[in-house]
Amino acid sequence: MNQEGKTIQPNPIALLPIFLFLVLYLGNGIFFEYIVKEEGQMGFYVVSVVLAFSIALIAAFLQNHSRSFDEKIHICAQGIGDDNIVTMLFIFILAGAFSGIASEAGGASSTANLLLSVIPARFSIPGLFIIACLISMAMGTSVGTITVLAPIACEVSKNGRLFLPLCVGIVVGGAMFGDNLSFISDTTIAATKTQGVAMKDKFRTNIRVALPSALITLVILIVFALMNRGVDIGDFEYSILQAIPYFIVLVLSIIGINVFIVLITGSLLFILAGMITGSLTYATALSSMGTGISGMFETMIVTILVASIAALMRANGGFAAILAFIRKNADSRMGGMFGIAFLTAFMDIATANNTVAIVIAAPIARDITEEYNVDPKVTASLLDTCSCIMQGIIPYGAQLLVAANIARITSISMIPFLFYPFILIIFVVISILIQGNPEKK
């Protein structure tokens, strides 16, 4: 590894900023979630992830006294100015506007209710899973999907006298499937742009593990449905016109249209649909897009902070230390792939945010990719998939916490019914074993 023509020596101390972040964020999260718990408060959101990363950045600046402050600023600027980072930031802005206008126009709820209305009552449980998969692929957000579908899952549970954690857990699993594959998901954007691969290529790689996992999950749910009697799931209102833009966005994404065009087209279609149906006015359209963009600010700031910290850690020998550790414990492509998978999963466990986990792990993963001759498409897929797996399982992640809050149950009670993420782990391991090559580059 070189920095300005000089070989960078492994230096584990350079990784101190990221460990400081973990102590601040994960440590305080555990403290406020399980030790000093306050009613209605999510412990892992007491300490802002931006604050924790800001302190970690200060720690990174305090290291390596051989470099001047101006030199360190220049290193950060190079990290932030990477083409992929800049592209990511622009896409986050458009994704925020799209999410805001789609929600205000009633697109998500109409799409979910439309799909639910055509599913036979007996198959309401597998139907919820399919709907969650489709909605999250179209919306590009698992939390947004859960927010829309969790209340519907509660109604299905109540009317059909079905176990509530099962119904809500199924929605969470489907939401993670779509989030992992969506072309407009921030995880997809982060995974592909940091590895310099096309979204359609990452999608083709991802689908090989995600689709079999989803189909097996669906079979399990269908068997469950057949073993139980039919239920009355109630009537849900919807507008076909409000739902159409999501289907168009989904199709445009899958056929490989540029993500900028997809997001702009989707936003314009929702504005048109909202105006025609009366769910939007000129003022609410502008306001909702602004709110959506504002909702992306934290992700964008985190991306900038992490890019800066990563650049300093790389320059100080932190990444070289991680690569040295992996070289010591893995001598093949398969070992490198497992290294990427475990690194990403650990970062998600520590940060409880799959996008942040990807942004942190991505620079190191790129070095592993080059060192062990891993296909960048596979690396992007592993980053996205492994972060989504852990994010869909950890009980303190936003997905399970939001679902638990809506359903008024504990997040842990849903874990046994997260069939899709657990099955996906098996297929990821199988894919690594198949694609791994014992010969090191």
Side-chain angles (χ1 to χ4, degrees):
M1 191 188 314
N2 296 317
Q3 178 76 14
E4 297 178 350
K6 298 179 181 179
T7 300
I8 300 176
Q9 297 301 318
N11 177 22
I13 301 298
L15 298 172
L16 180 62
I18 201 63
F19 286 108
L20 176 60
F21 164 79
L22 297 180
V23 171
L24 287 171
Y25 187 74
L26 187 59
N28 280 296
I30 292 173
F31 178 78
F32 288 112
E33 182 68 25
Y34 300 108
I35 300 175
V36 184
K37 175 70 175 177
E38 293 187 17
E39 186 67 27
Q41 182 186 67
M42 292 191 291
F44 282 84
Y45 291 86
V46 171
V47 177
S48 165
V49 67
V50 173
L51 173 63
F53 272 124
S54 297
I55 296 173
L57 179 59
I58 292 173
F61 264 95
L62 293 176
Q63 292 184 310
N64 196 348
H65 298 295
S66 65
R67 284 194 172 93
S68 68
F69 180 80
D70 288 342
E71 287 177 319
K72 293 173 183 177
I73 288 290
H74 180 65
I75 291 171
C76 290
Q78 288 181 316
I80 298 170
D82 182 88
D83 290 354
N84 294 318
I85 297 294
V86 173
T87 303
M88 244 163 61
L89 294 174
F90 288 156
I91 294 176
F92 284 152
I93 292 174
L94 287 178
F98 171 81
S99 176
I101 194 69
S103 177
E104 187 70 23
S109 57
S110 280
T111 304
N113 292 345
L114 169 62
L115 293 170
L116 197 59
S117 67
V118 300
I119 293 173
R122 187 182 190 94
F123 297 101
S124 55
I125 291 296
L128 278 174
F129 179 72
I130 294 173
I131 292 170
C133 291
L134 294 175
I135 295 295
S136 56
M137 279 191 69
M139 290 181 70
T141 164
S142 53
V143 173
T145 299
I146 292 166
T147 302
V148 170
L149 292 184
I152 297 176
C154 292
E155 285 296 312
V156 171
S157 171
K158 179 182 177 181
N159 294 342
R161 294 186 294 278
L162 297 168
F163 192 44
L164 183 55
L166 166 65
C167 295
V168 182
I170 292 305
V171 167
V172 174
M176 299 316 297
F177 169 86
D179 190 17
N180 180 216
L181 290 176
S182 175
F183 281 70
I184 57 177
S185 165
D186 49 2
T187 57
T188 294
I189 295 165
T192 55
K193 293 306 174 184
T194 56
Q195 302 307 307
V197 302
M199 292 187 183
K200 61 181 180 181
D201 291 332
K202 196 275 290 186
F203 176 85
R204 290 167 183 160
T205 304
N206 259 24
I207 200 73
R208 295 171 188 168
V209 294
L211 186 58
S213 303
L215 290 176
I216 291 176
T217 301
L218 187 59
V219 169
I220 293 173
L221 298 178
I222 290 174
V223 171
F224 171 84
L226 292 174
M227 293 173 62
N228 291 271
R229 61 182 178 80
V231 297
D232 178 16
I233 59 176
D235 297 319
F236 300 96
E237 295 183 358
Y238 61 87
S239 165
I240 294 178
L241 193 57
Q242 291 174 354
I244 287 176
Y246 266 133
F247 292 109
I248 294 176
V249 165
L250 188 59
V251 171
L252 291 178
S253 298
I254 291 175
I255 63 177
I257 301 299
N258 182 280
V259 66
F260 287 99
I261 296 176
V262 171
L263 290 170
I264 292 173
T265 301
S267 298
L268 292 175
L269 288 173
F270 271 118
I271 292 174
L272 180 62
M275 293 293 187
I276 293 174
T277 59
S279 60
L280 285 177
T281 64
Y282 178 68
T284 57
L286 293 177
S287 175
S288 62
M289 285 192 288
T291 301
I293 293 173
S294 297
M296 284 288 186
F297 284 175
E298 182 175 88
T299 300
M300 295 170 70
I301 295 299
V302 165
T303 300
I304 292 171
L305 290 172
V306 172
S308 301
I309 295 170
L312 288 171
M313 288 196 303
R314 179 194 293 272
N316 293 336
F319 289 2
I322 293 176
L323 283 174
F325 176 81
I326 292 176
R327 288 190 191 103
K328 184 178 179 181
N329 293 276
D331 59 357
S332 66
R333 179 185 300 172
M334 183 187 301
M337 292 170 67
F338 273 118
I340 294 170
F342 284 120
L343 174 66
T344 308
F346 171 74
M347 287 302 177
D348 190 84
I349 291 172
T351 63
N353 185 306
N354 43 351
T355 305
V356 173
I358 291 171
V359 174
I360 297 173
I364 303 172
R366 187 159 50 189
D367 287 340
I368 296 173
T369 297
E370 295 174 358
E371 176 77 15
Y372 289 92
N373 196 26
V374 180
D375 190 330
K377 302 192 294 289
V378 174
T379 300
S381 176
L382 286 172
L383 286 169
D384 200 348
T385 303
C386 293
S387 65
C388 283
I389 286 173
M390 296 314 303
Q391 190 66 22
I393 293 175
I394 54 176
Y396 52 86
Q399 286 75 5
L400 284 179
L401 288 177
V402 168
N405 184 59
I406 292 173
R408 299 194 178 281
I409 56 178
T410 64
S411 58
I412 293 177
S413 68
M414 289 179 278
I415 292 178
F417 307 105
L418 300 173
F419 305 124
Y420 172 73
F422 288 119
I423 294 172
L424 184 57
I425 292 175
I426 297 172
F427 276 92
V428 168
V429 172
I430 292 173
S431 72
I432 292 176
L433 293 175
I434 292 175
Q435 296 180 76
N437 190 323
E439 295 182 6
K440 183 179 174 183
K441 182 179 177 181

